[in-house]
Amino acid sequence: MAPREHDDVCAPDSTLSFSNGKDASSDFLWSARDEPHCTRRKLIMEAHPEVKTLMGPCPLTKWKVIGTVIFQAIAAYNLRNASWPVLLFFTYVVSGTLNHMMTLAIHELSHNLGFKERRYNRYLALLANVPMGLPAAISFKRYHLEHHKYQGEHIVDVDIPSEIEGKLFQSRIGKFIWLILQPLFYSCRPLVLNPKVPGRWEYINFALLFATDLAVFTLMGPKSLFYLICGTLLGMGVHPVAGHFVAEHYILNPGYETMSYYGPLNWVTFNVGYHNEHHDFPNVPGSRLHLLRDMCPEFYDTLPQYESWSKVLFDYVTRVEITPFSRVKRQFFSEEDRKKLSERELKAHLAS
């Protein structure tokens, strides 16, 4: 691993550059530094040890998940005979928002922020996955924890688009299509770039979603299933709440590989907009990230931030210099390092 730089943790990364002979149309930005969050976390803990009081599970998470799952079941039932215009409206506006909220509940639970005991977080994540209609809860955690620990690391961090995505979707129309297809890339990219051997919980996840989807189709009808599954797909595409996918780590502001958003859509996304705060302290639940920011204003208020996720999507599509390549990568791992990491991760996963 490269040594960490202990300069101003709120300053832009001055080491960013393209590979030899390449530019923004053909390459990612490469950093000579390690990811910034570990260093900032250490400095914040030294300056504000009271941050420890914010760590640990949030008791409200389970009620938010249970309430949303019940609401989605009732909504799907009531829309079983709806006209297509009505169904499409509620699928995009309501199901798109709420099912995206459930993806972020799974995100929250991947950090064990629902319960102290890990297995209960897994059970609740599976429940949150049910209205989404597509299995995701178990595999998401495996990749997401690596995204945190090894942010930007070549091959390991599959949150970063593939090279072929960068080359194919550079025009404004191409980037708009890429946003629509975001659910496809987000789910399939890991399987191609960094495949993992599934364990029993992946099969349980798949079986649960197959059974619940079949039950919805049989008992309520195809329109109810459409409301759930297409709500998930639309809510992860060109949708206001999906703006966080781009806002979190795309370089729309030169030199900053993570940026936060403090607007009202945090209310339905477990405060995932507080993304610098989240990466600095992934063991602080979303419900307390605003308190973290209030405790440490000298670390967060000076960082650039977004005011609108919809504006982020608009800028991503319309700004010619921004493409799927607009991400920071680093390569400190050798092939042998990646192999050992994969073996450790699989061993831990199968034992859980």
Side-chain angles (χ1 to χ4, degrees):
M1 294 291 292
R4 294 186 182 276
E5 299 284 348
H6 288 278
D7 55 2
D8 187 350
V9 293
C10 297
D13 187 345
S14 60
T15 72
L16 297 180
S17 64
F18 299 107
S19 301
N20 291 336
K22 295 186 177 182
D23 56 25
S25 66
S26 59
D27 194 20
F28 301 97
L29 282 160
W30 293 84
S31 176
R33 293 179 179 173
D34 203 344
E35 57 86 16
H37 301 288
C38 184
T39 299
R40 187 160 56 226
R41 177 165 58 250
K42 290 178 180 178
L43 294 177
I44 289 175
M45 288 300 298
E46 291 173 2
H48 298 280
E50 67 272 20
V51 164
K52 291 181 181 179
T53 63
L54 302 178
M55 299 175 183
C58 174
L60 296 178
T61 301
K62 58 182 175 293
W63 302 118
K64 293 177 182 178
V65 170
I66 292 170
T68 303
V69 171
I70 292 173
F71 180 93
Q72 283 292 78
I74 294 172
Y77 178 79
N78 286 329
L79 289 166
R80 67 194 185 280
N81 295 318
S83 66
W84 279 106
V86 170
L87 180 62
L88 288 171
F89 175 82
F90 279 94
T91 298
Y92 183 82
V93 176
V94 179
S95 189
T97 301
L98 294 182
N99 277 1
H100 198 97
M101 180 181 173
M102 289 300 93
T103 69
L104 293 167
I106 290 171
H107 166 263
E108 191 88 344
L109 294 163
S110 73
H111 294 287
N112 298 314
L113 293 174
F115 301 93
K116 289 183 179 179
E117 196 164 339
R118 290 188 177 186
R119 59 174 176 162
Y120 295 139
N121 289 283
R122 178 185 288 146
Y123 300 156
L124 188 61
L126 288 170
L127 177 62
N129 197 174
V130 167
M132 292 167 57
L134 301 167
I138 302 302
S139 58
F140 172 82
K141 179 175 181 176
R142 299 178 68 183
Y143 287 106
H144 184 67
L145 296 184
E146 290 183 344
H147 162 64
H148 269 268
K149 194 170 184 179
Y150 310 108
Q151 180 176 311
E153 178 63 38
H154 181 56
I155 297 178
V156 175
D157 185 1
V158 294
D159 186 68
I160 297 174
S162 63
E163 189 170 335
I164 193 169
E165 290 171 66
K167 291 179 178 179
L168 288 178
F169 300 101
Q170 295 204 4
S171 68
R172 290 186 175 95
I173 294 175
K175 288 186 288 183
F176 185 76
I177 293 172
W178 182 85
L179 288 175
I180 294 173
L181 297 178
Q182 175 83 318
L184 174 66
F185 293 123
Y186 200 76
S187 58
C188 295
R189 185 190 304 137
L191 305 179
V192 176
L193 298 183
N194 188 18
K196 295 182 182 296
V197 177
R200 65 188 176 102
W201 282 104
E202 278 92 346
Y203 295 114
I204 291 172
N205 194 174
F206 181 86
L208 173 65
L209 268 293
F210 179 81
T212 52
D213 285 353
L214 183 62
V216 169
F217 182 85
T218 303
L219 300 176
M220 301 183 191
K223 288 187 175 180
S224 296
L225 189 59
F226 177 94
Y227 169 80
L228 296 175
I229 293 179
C230 290
T232 299
L233 298 176
L234 292 173
M236 291 180 69
V238 182
H239 194 289
V241 294
H244 76 90
F245 285 129
V246 175
E248 290 167 358
H249 299 295
Y250 283 77
I251 307 297
L252 274 70
N253 197 308
Y256 292 92
E257 63 179 289
T258 306
M259 285 182 59
S260 291
Y261 155 82
Y262 302 120
L265 289 179
N266 279 302
W267 300 341
V268 290
T269 55
F270 289 88
N271 279 342
V272 76
Y274 288 73
H275 216 66
N276 269 302
E277 294 83 348
H278 169 61
H279 268 263
D280 289 350
F281 292 93
N283 54 349
V284 172
S287 61
R288 299 181 201 135
L289 288 175
H290 68 289
L291 300 175
L292 172 62
R293 183 193 179 200
D294 291 343
M295 280 184 182
C296 318
E298 71 274 25
F299 286 94
Y300 294 118
D301 288 354
T302 59
L303 293 172
Q305 57 193 254
Y306 296 115
E307 296 181 355
S308 167
W309 277 340
S310 296
K311 179 65 161 52
V312 168
L313 294 178
F314 178 82
D315 287 347
Y316 176 78
V317 171
T318 59
R319 287 173 56 180
V320 295
E321 78 276 17
I322 306 299
T323 74
F325 278 129
S326 300
R327 290 289 297 266
V328 172
K329 295 189 78 171
R330 45 184 57 85
Q331 187 165 5
F332 298 145
F333 279 24
S334 65
E335 186 174 347
E336 183 64 23
D337 291 332
R338 290 194 295 269
K339 182 179 178 182
K340 290 179 179 178
L341 172 64
S342 180
E343 290 172 350
R344 291 196 305 270
E345 190 278 333
L346 178 60
K347 182 177 180 181
H349 177 64
L350 294 179
S352 65

